[in-house]
Each structure stands twice: as C-alpha cells, then as structure tokens.
Amino acid sequence: MVQKVPKVKLSSGHEMPIVGLGTYARKADPAQYRQGVEWGIEAGYRHIDTASSYNNEVYVGEGINNKIKDGTVTRDQLFVTTKLWNNCHAESDVVPSLKDSLARLKLDYVDLYLVHWPVSVNANGGDADIDYLETWRGMEEAVKLGLAKSIGVSNFNEQQLERLIKAANIKPVCNQFEINPTLTQHKLVDFCKKLSVVPVAYTPLGLISEARPEFNGLDAIKTDARLGDIAQKYGKTRAQIALKYLLQRDIVVVPKSFTKSRIAENLELFDFELTQDEMTIVDGFNINHRCVPANAFSSFKNYPF
Ligand SMILES: NC(=O)c1ccc[n+]([C@@H]2O[C@H](COP(=O)([O-])OP(=O)(O)OC[C@H]3O[C@@H](n4cnc5c(N)ncnc54)[C@H](OP(=O)(O)O)[C@@H]3O)[C@@H](O)[C@H]2O)c1
C-alpha cells in the first residue's frame, strides 16, 4: 500500500513531508542506495535526505530519477534535501558545492540545502574557524539562484541558531539534529519551535535501531516490557512507537532503512495515536545519550555539543 504522508509548512512557504527517508550508511554498495530510494518512493516516501559527505548522491539521484522516469512520481512531488560539508564553508564555496551536489544528483534544484554542521574544516582537517554567518550568505545566494527552494541548518545549538536568525535575511526553515527516545532534546526542540524553525530528527530510532550495538546496559529500550506492551497494543514495532512519539511532538523524522520491509514499516505511522500516558512512558527512556557525538570536532570553536 502506498502511504500518504502529511506535510508541514516551512517559513519559506514550501511544504516538507513529515517522514523522510534517511540514506546515510557507513558501508553500502551503489545498488543498495539506488534500490533503497526506489523502494522508498514506491512505498510513499516523498522526502529523501542525503548529504555530500555521504558519498552517495550519485546513487540516490539515480534512484530518484529512475522513479521519475518510470512515472511513479514527478519531480515536484518530491522533497530532496542535501547538505553542505564542513570543508566548503567559505561564502564563495557554497554555491559551487551545491552545484556539484546537483550534478551528482542529476537534479536542477534541491528542496532543502542544509549547513551540515556549524563547524568548518580546513585542508589539513583542522578547524578552519569560518563564521557560519559568512557561510549563510552563500546559502542565501543559493536560494536567489533558484538552486535551493529552502535553506536550513543541522546540529546547531540554541546560541548558534539564535545568532544566525538575528543576522539572516532568509531564515533557516529547520534544524536537523539527533532526537530519539533516549535523547529527547525538549529544550532545543521547544527553542526551535519558538523561532518557527522546524525540528527534524536524525537517528530517530536511536538505540532501538539494530545498527546500534549494546553498550553499557543503555539499551533497556530494546527489551523494556512497557514499550513492548504499547507496541503490542497497536500491533506495531518498538521502532514505529519511537517514530510516532516524535511525530506527536511535531518533529519531522528521517529514519534510514535499505530493508524493503522496514522501509515500509517506518511509514506505517498514521493509523494509531499514542495516549498522553504512553508518550510519558516513551519520554522516560531519556538518558541524554548521543549516538552521533561527532567527537572529531570536539576541540573546534563552533562544536555545538
Ligand atoms: N545531519 C546529520 O548530522 C545527520 C547525522 C546522522 C544521520 N542523519 C540522517 O538521518 C538519517 C537517519 O539516521 P541514522 O541512519 O543514523 O539512524 P536511524 O534511522 O535511527 O537508524 C538506521 C538504522 O536502523 C535500522 N532500522 C531501520 N528501520 C528499522 C526498524 N523498523 N527496526 C529496526 N531497525 C531499523 C537500519 O537498518 P537497515 O537499513 O538494515 O534496515 C539502520 O541500520 C540518516 O540516514 C541521515 O540521512 C543526519
């Protein structure tokens, strides 16, 4: 069954489907990316999340274009996001970097271009210490040129987001950061909403995901009976309960799967509603644990965590 996914209105006036397909994989072959995207679009995903640093834009673009060519979707029905990597934060590097992404994706524009991190990296891998306000001027140029319909940020903290919004001519429509039941992020989510910045959850499955190894007994969420009971009550999986918990907090989610059954599973979220008590139970798993601490940047001036 093809799922119809609701959309949220962005401050740019454009609309973003509230469930997107993540595409990051530490290791995958071209066919897996292509196939994952094709299965996603067939299942009803209309929002695809990639990044130049994922080194998969060519294959993600092939999947997208295959589904446009075979008539499953039109380009304007899709919402495609890619991200500027940290080594291209100089204002003059932003538009060329987006053009490179578009050439790999074989698309004329993206729906959303994100500054992947507030940190910038120099040719030696060290801190380039470029102010993200400078980077943002390049992002605004991308909108003016029609290469990106909307622009936003990722991994920005409250101070960084507030400073950016004060200086920006075109406001960031969203902040994409890690949010899941073991990293609930209430403060930053509320802050974003106050500024009309849509919170987008990456790694939304957190420690429920099979990709996360067991560590230090932090993974009670995989076995906890209360969560099992909630899942059973609705005929859903723990993963679906985690995603629904985020959606009911008005957070957009971009779960990644290249497994056909899970791609479909992660979209089957619109035929049940968690009660307030159940939301409180899921919320209670918070241990402020980051799956993506980005330790490589921890000594950089603009490290956000
Ligand atoms: N902006 C950023 O800095 C940033 C950082 C991290 C991620 N992201 C984006 O967010 C997306 C999602 O984050 P993520 O990939 O780190 O984590 P995730 O979506 O929370 O989890 C993905 C992992 O969970 C497995 N999985 C998927 N559905 C499942 C289900 N229903 N039950 C059990 N396991 C399931 C997947 O395996 P299979 O594929 O084998 O099914 C995959 O290994 C990324 O792909 C990327 O697009 C952005």
Side-chain angles (χ1 to χ4, degrees), residues 49 54 78 89 107 149 191 205 228 277 293 300:
D49 183 86
Y54 300 170
L78 292 175
H89 273 215
L107 296 176
K149 300 264 185 215
F191 191 76
L205 300 174
D277 285 351
F300 287 29

Side-chain angles (χ1 to χ4, degrees), residues 119-174:
V119 300
S120 54
V121 175
N122 63 29
N124 303 319
D127 190 349
D129 196 11
I130 296 171
D131 190 340
Y132 47 81
L133 297 188
E134 170 184 338
T135 311
W136 196 251
R137 290 196 291 274
M139 298 292 284
E140 292 177 329
E141 185 61 19
V143 176
K144 287 180 196 141
L145 294 171
L147 301 174
K149 300 264 185 215
S150 301
I151 47 177
V153 294
S154 177
N155 296 301
F156 274 46
N157 65 28
E158 286 180 36
Q159 292 72 31
Q160 292 165 336
L161 197 55
E162 190 166 35
R163 180 169 173 264
L164 174 63
I165 285 184
K166 278 200 181 127
N169 292 313
I170 302 175
K171 309 287 176 212
V173 297
C174 72

Side-chain angles (χ1 to χ4, degrees), residues 44-65:
Y45 289 82
R46 296 292 177 263
H47 171 175
I48 313 283
D49 183 86
T50 182
S52 57
S53 69
Y54 300 170
N55 292 319
N56 66 9
E57 288 172 311
V58 168
Y59 319 119
V60 167
E62 283 173 3
I64 290 171
N65 283 301

